[in-house]
Amino acid sequence: VGRSRRVSEREVMSNIPNGVIFIWTGTHTSIPAGWERVTALDGKYPKGTADATDPNDTGGSATHSHTSSSHTHTIAAHTHTITIAACQSNSKGDKSGSVMARDAHTHAPFNSGAVSNANISSEAATYSAISNDPPYYSVIFIRPTAPKPSLPNLGVYLYDGSDSKSGHYVCDGNNSTPNLANKYLKGAATDADAGATGGSTTNIHNLTHTHTVSHAHAAATSPSSGGIGAATSGGGWIYTHTHNIALDASTTAPSNTPSLTTTETVEPAYKKLLTVQNRTGHGDIRLGMIGMWLGTLSSIPANYALCDGNNGTQDMRGKHLKSTATTGEVGNTGGSNTHTHAAQAHEHSVSHTHTANPPAPGHTNTNSNRTGESTYNCGQDYTKIHPSVAVSSDNYSLASTNTTANSSSNEPEYRTVAFIKLKSLQH
């Protein structure tokens, strides 16, 4: 039995060729002797190569964005407060050769008329760029510098079985293993240690765009006011009057950027495999363990099988790797390499004001004291009844409108690999 055992150990001396890639979850400096970092996978997610295609291609992007079709809004009803400056005393007017003097007076502030002549530009929106990282755990991908008989202690491999092996533990945070459950494995940055986490399945975009908005306000009538007038020829009268004030057009460009938190789950097309760590305290090997290969398909070692759905393997072609800690989830798929977003509602608001011309000279006053005269058209020979008009600054809003994003790729930066499964301990 002892001799048979020794022969078996010799037979597996070359079962891990120097091109087969496994996973290290420790520090860069703790990579075991005889193993090296696969720098080609630094900062990259491993993705199964396409059917009948050699691996080692790159693709994906660190971020993505969207554009929308053009849209516009309607302007919400709003008013401004108008204040007419006080009229000066001794303003001059003329009536049938009589010169009159008039007392100073004011009009109470009042609201402008309704929005008129609104014109709102139609604009396309750009969805701000955000990260393509799905929820990830950074790892160091390693391979032997020369054929090795076993995986090192604390090395991690992929697995698609439901059996257990003493000293080998699913990476779920128990038994001192890293918690890789439901994580995409991302190569750590150059020379960086493993263990960083991040990423999300939720997108938050700022919707960047600016509309040009022009509008005015219809004329509104001021409260009545008046004073006492007197003519040089004698007599006096009481006059009351109002003014109609229209606000000039105002052009503004509301450019606030609504933040849109989308409800869709966004992650690349994946298939789940177990991640298992060897914690036996020494090197070990296991039939069925899955590694990765960057060489040609034709050069895959004879005792490994390509994970293409044949020979008792999972079909990893074209799939991103997602770790699971549950055997019942092995082989589960999901995600998509492109996505869009459902219609998103947004609105705008901006503070603005308008200008308005002072009341024109001349207005009709009620005459209650001069016999035979019911009205008096005063002020036609002086240039300003009231010198100015002030208009309050107020917010207006553009009513809520939907935008719809175009389709965009959400694949993170990847390198294609051939997932290969150890099928025999002999070449």
Side-chain angles (χ1 to χ4, degrees):
V1 174
R3 185 176 183 279
S4 175
R5 175 67 174 170
R6 286 191 297 273
V7 170
S8 179
E9 288 174 348
R10 292 192 196 102
E11 289 173 344
V12 301
M13 286 296 290
S14 299
N15 278 330
I16 303 182
N18 59 342
V20 182
I21 300 167
F22 292 98
I23 298 158
W24 188 250
T25 58
T27 65
H28 174 70
T29 57
S30 67
I31 294 173
W35 292 77
E36 65 180 1
R37 185 177 191 132
V38 183
T39 58
L41 286 168
D42 283 350
K44 298 287 194 295
Y45 293 83
K47 177 186 177 181
T49 191
D51 182 42
T53 303
D54 289 335
N56 211 13
D57 287 333
T58 58
S61 176
T63 62
H64 77 274
S65 63
H66 304 269
T67 58
S68 75
S69 56
S70 295
H71 71 283
T72 187
H73 300 258
T74 57
I75 190 169
H78 67 279
T79 60
H80 299 263
T81 301
I82 301 173
T83 304
I84 301 175
C87 178
Q88 305 298 313
S89 62
N90 296 319
S91 295
K92 298 298 181 63
D94 180 77
K95 170 72 173 179
S96 301
S98 298
V99 178
M100 66 80 146
R102 195 172 63 173
D103 286 345
H105 67 279
T106 60
H107 297 265
F110 59 104
N111 288 335
S112 64
V115 171
S116 66
N117 301 321
N119 191 333
I120 304 168
S121 66
S122 180
E123 304 291 343
T126 298
Y127 288 62
S128 63
I130 65 166
S131 173
N132 274 338
D133 280 324
Y136 69 82
Y137 189 104
S138 71
V139 300
I140 300 172
F141 295 99
I142 59 173
R143 63 189 169 199
T145 57
K148 294 291 181 184
S150 61
L151 188 71
N153 185 51
L154 303 183
V156 174
Y157 58 91
L158 306 171
Y159 198 64
D160 63 359
S162 58
D163 58 320
S164 61
K165 178 176 172 65
S166 178
H168 291 232
Y169 299 102
V170 172
C171 295
D172 59 1
N174 297 310
N175 301 300
S176 300
T177 63
N179 188 358
L180 306 183
N182 290 311
K183 299 291 187 183
Y184 291 79
L185 303 188
K186 179 182 182 180
T190 303
D191 294 334
D193 298 335
T197 58
S200 176
T201 61
T202 299
N203 287 183
I204 302 177
H205 293 278
N206 289 326
L207 194 61
T208 304
H209 64 291
T210 300
H211 296 275
T212 300
V213 181
S214 176
H215 73 286
H217 287 267
T221 302
S222 71
S224 178
S225 182
I228 299 174
T232 56
S233 59
W237 61 94
I238 299 172
Y239 62 93
T240 59
H241 65 282
T242 59
H243 299 286
N244 287 334
I245 302 294
L247 301 188
D248 298 332
S250 170
T251 299
T252 51
S255 59
N256 58 306
T257 53
S259 180
L260 303 180
T261 302
T262 61
T263 58
E264 298 88 357
T265 296
V266 179
E267 54 184 324
Y270 66 80
K271 177 166 278 194
K272 287 186 170 184
L273 294 175
L274 291 169
T275 43
V276 181
Q277 187 172 50
N278 169 33
R279 299 190 67 88
T280 59
H282 56 80
D284 207 353
I285 200 167
R286 183 180 191 181
L287 275 175
M289 67 183 190
I290 299 169
M292 289 159 275
W293 184 254
L294 289 177
T296 63
L297 297 181
S298 61
S299 65
I300 293 173
N303 57 334
Y304 284 81
L306 175 66
C307 292
D308 60 359
N310 299 308
N311 302 306
T313 65
Q314 297 289 330
D315 189 355
M316 297 296 294
R317 291 173 299 179
K319 299 296 185 183
H320 288 267
L321 169 65
K322 186 175 183 180
S323 172
T324 179
T326 305
T327 57
E329 292 185 352
V330 169
N332 284 3
T333 58
S336 174
N337 293 332
T338 60
H339 73 286
T340 185
H341 294 294
Q344 298 288 325
H346 73 282
E347 58 186 30
H348 301 269
S349 64
V350 66
S351 179
H352 74 294
T353 188
H354 297 259
T355 59
N357 292 320
H363 50 260
T364 300
N365 304 306
T366 300
N367 174 7
S368 60
N369 288 334
R370 296 185 70 175
T371 303
E373 296 181 12
S374 61
T375 61
Y376 187 88
N377 194 18
C378 72
Q380 293 191 12
D381 65 346
Y382 56 88
T383 58
K384 288 186 177 180
I385 299 174
H386 299 272
S388 63
V389 174
V391 181
S392 66
S393 179
D394 290 280
N395 285 338
Y396 73 80
S397 63
L398 298 183
S400 180
T401 297
N402 287 341
T403 59
T404 303
N406 70 337
S407 179
S408 183
S409 172
N410 51 268
E411 283 197 273
E413 294 177 297
Y414 65 79
R415 185 175 292 274
T416 59
V417 301
F419 290 94
I420 56 175
K421 182 176 182 177
L422 179 62
K423 297 294 289 183
S424 170
L425 296 180
Q426 298 183 37
H427 288 280

